[in-house]
Amino acid sequence: MKIQTNAQYLLHDSRQLMFPEASVFFAIRGQHHDGHDYVLPLYEQGVREFVVEGGVLSGAQKQAFEELKNAKFWVVDNALLAMQQLVAHHRTQFHVPVVGITGSNGKTIVKEWLAQLLAPEFNVVKSPKSYNSQLGVPLSVWAMNATHTLGIFEAGLSKPHEIEHIEPVVRPTIGIFTNIGPAHDEGFRSTKQKITEKLRLFSHAQKLIYCADYEDIDTEVNIILRAANPTIDLVAWGKKKNARAKYQTLFDAVAQKLTVNDHVFSTHFKDAASVENLTHCIVLMLEMKYAPALIEQRIALLRPVSMRLEMKQGTNNCYLIDDSYNNDLAGLTMALQFLSQQEQRPQKVVILSDLLQTGQKEPDLYQHIAQLLAEKKVDRLVGIGAAFGRNSAFFETGSLFFSDTEAFMAAALVFKNALILVKGARPFEFERIVNQLQEKVHGTVLEINLDALTHNLNYYREKAGANTKIMVMVKAFAYGSGSAEVAQLLQFHRVDYLAVAYADEGIELRQNGIELPIMVMNPAAGSFEKMFEHNLEPEIYSPRILEYWLAFVAQKKGKKTPKIHLKLDTGMHRLGFVESDLPTLIAQITENPVLRVATVFSHLVGADESKHNAFSEKQFALFGAMYGRIAAALGYQPARHMLNSAGIVRFPDFKMDMVRLGIGLYGVEVNQLEQRFLRPIGTLKTVISQIKNLKAGQTVGYGRRGVLERDARIATIAIGYADGFDRGFSGAVGRVSVGGVLCPVVGNVCMDMTMIDITDVPTAQEGDEVVVFGAQNPITDLARAIGTIPYEILTGIGARVKRVFFKEGN
């Protein structure tokens, strides 16, 4: 069925609804959700156009949808494919140059740099952030309109045949193939197959730019692509001698000069990846007949692109959402959606610069921005720039306007208890505003990747299955990662339960807008009143704590009290009712029908070790028997759960009604059986404070314990045991990464600082970044070095270490 719609917005996630009357909802079925479940709620919110998949609708759904008045339904076989086809038709309406970018790495950087380099001559529409997926590409191209004179879109793939559906959506006239690497190798038979699939993006392109130094790319381009598209102009460049290379390049890292044929360009970039990305941009501009002198001027203005939306602690109990690297309408919409998901503070403030070079008429653009802010219930706007001043009448009373960033800084506004989104076009230098508003702490930060956390959640959801609920452990400051921020994301992704260790942790979550059910694992009688006030559900684990809870319930004289969770001890011998407690337990809960038992659960002793498999099976059998007696006495069946992160992987037959997800969410698969499927969510970083050149025989640190065996460069870094860098890392036990090189600790770890040997990193300078753990230096390796577990490393990170939360992709 061909979709014909006047909708302005393609909606695929009910949580991102902004303008219901102007949206069409695509009910896409994913691994972890079914869009058809949200049709009725969206109708209640005002959406009237829906694309649904006829083959999966139940009889009840069909009847319910037919009864919706004034609703338009398109019934298709595949909602995602229908969206792609709709946007492919939309793309045919525009006859302007379109640059399509694919490759393993660098797509987003090349896209952003090209948009900046070409903006003076073109009104550019581009993919927001890293929108390069099967869903992200059509959402990006849908933004094209008659005012645009150039499109720049990136496209990725994770398995064969995906590009076939994306190519007509993008239909690039110019292609860039950045490079090839191991990303998504698991989806392909070979690297050559992956290259061939990516090349399908350029089946109708007029020109392709690529680096011939990647021999597999060069071969496939000149065989496969040339056969499929005989008229394409293949523009190769490379450092190596290659007869097919139109452009020969040479980079002098010392002089920071990049030579492209006879043209020499100065650049402040030194790393190989940035130079490669820059060369793609220069070659395209040369092909577009830009003068080398003009190219030189423009690349001098390029800076590293931060594609991350970061959330960090601000002054006066504020949170900052830092999205200051650029400002376009698509990016603003995404940032406002993220802002709307946060409930940590009562007031929402947006500091926004003029939107530059949109091609839209100013009144139409700023009226639309005002509607976006109102839709997302923004309490206060601070508009910066001349265009905001000219269009201030569109915005709510109480909005503030400044001519430029300098005027805003001079005003020294004070914000308190607010969520503040800072989003500005690059010329406005909004990083100065962020620096003014963020809490000043030392240079050690723990970066939390919210996209990686979502990836890990979805991995365990798939393991658990659609019919098994998930309780997520956010105790101990969410394993050091930040309870409120992590819980906000989990609430957005609709997990079923949260669990904390103590009532105070649950109260903090409630105060930060968390409405999910919360189980308190170690309740104290003195905290029952607070738990009652905040609807926190206690774990009842002993006859004594049950008696205390019954006495508390009696005091409430019939008022509805929180549900309870019964903990059974099947072998851990920590907390929980043992089998001999059951007669008393059953008598007490049946005599007090006011008690509502939400779940009954236990804990496997050795879920992560195969040598304990027999004992785990014995525990499971005992739990089943004990649960059966309790359920029979209650007359209903509370939910059952027994598996932690390790158990979800190793004991799929034990998952029952719910599983408890803990350390796995944070990127550590303790069995090490499926670690490759998880993404580390945390990167602990610090900086080099000072560098000294010392001679062999000199000593470093307290007690002269760091005796140098060679002449060495010793760096002092801004982290110590007060920050969670254990003293056990002293004396070369611990290693941290500087410039990708692991450097050993010298001497003892101090309270606030540590010394490391950076002799093997001659380019290191004071102020350089140091990675304590992350992708370059896995936390599991650090834990192993001092004979502990990753849990201890994570939960030991000090409160004074700043947490920065960020999102990257779509």
Side-chain angles (χ1 to χ4, degrees), residues 142-162:
W142 185 252
M144 285 188 81
N145 62 51
T147 69
H148 295 123
T149 57
L150 176 68
I152 309 176
F153 302 108
E154 55 179 293
L157 81 166
S158 57
K159 57 187 178 182
H161 307 301
E162 288 183 337

Side-chain angles (χ1 to χ4, degrees), residues 33-257:
H33 69 274
D34 185 345
H36 299 88
D37 295 337
Y38 304 102
V39 169
L40 295 180
L42 284 171
Y43 179 84
E44 293 298 322
Q45 295 176 71
V47 177
R48 291 296 179 265
E49 295 187 57
F50 302 91
V51 179
V52 298
E53 298 179 355
V56 301
L57 293 178
S58 66
Q61 283 179 318
K62 289 179 181 178
Q63 182 176 349
F65 294 170
E66 288 171 358
E67 293 173 357
L68 299 179
K69 295 181 180 179
N70 301 317
K72 174 66 176 178
F73 283 87
W74 286 277
V75 181
V76 300
D77 293 330
N78 183 302
L80 176 58
L81 182 59
M83 178 191 287
Q84 293 167 343
Q85 291 170 343
L86 172 65
V87 180
H89 174 72
H90 175 75
R91 167 70 181 88
T92 64
Q93 311 304 306
F94 308 105
H95 305 284
V96 299
V98 171
V99 180
I101 306 170
T102 194
S104 294
N105 299 293
K107 298 184 292 294
T108 302
I109 301 298
V110 172
K111 176 202 68 189
E112 292 294 327
W113 280 354
L114 282 176
Q116 182 177 340
L117 292 166
L118 302 176
E121 290 75 41
F122 295 95
N123 182 26
V124 179
V125 57
K126 61 183 175 68
S127 312
K129 294 188 180 288
S130 300
Y131 264 43
N132 58 38
S133 68
Q134 293 285 291
L135 186 58
V137 173
L139 292 175
S140 301
V141 177
W142 185 252
M144 285 188 81
N145 62 51
T147 69
H148 295 123
T149 57
L150 176 68
I152 309 176
F153 302 108
E154 55 179 293
L157 81 166
S158 57
K159 57 187 178 182
H161 307 301
E162 288 183 337
I163 289 289
E164 295 173 13
H165 305 300
I166 291 301
E167 189 277 334
V169 175
V170 180
R171 193 52 62 93
T173 57
I174 303 169
I176 296 178
F177 198 138
T178 58
N179 51 47
I180 197 70
H184 303 300
D185 271 356
E186 66 276 7
F188 300 90
R189 295 190 306 272
S190 65
T191 298
K192 288 192 174 184
Q193 186 199 18
K194 184 164 64 172
I195 293 170
T196 299
E197 291 291 335
K198 288 179 179 290
L199 287 175
R200 295 180 190 274
L201 182 64
F202 312 119
S203 299
H204 297 88
Q206 300 165 17
K207 187 189 297 286
L208 173 65
I209 295 167
Y210 71 98
C211 178
D213 293 341
Y214 294 94
E215 295 179 2
D216 285 343
I217 294 178
D218 188 41
T219 299
E220 298 304 300
V221 162
N222 285 278
I223 296 175
I224 303 298
L225 183 60
R226 175 66 78 190
N229 186 356
T231 62
I232 191 170
D233 180 15
L234 300 178
V235 180
W237 65 267
K239 301 180 288 292
K240 301 175 183 177
K241 293 294 182 182
N242 186 312
R244 288 196 281 255
K246 182 175 180 179
Y247 296 93
Q248 290 291 326
T249 65
L250 177 66
F251 179 63
D252 184 335
V254 176
Q256 292 183 257
K257 301 285 187 182

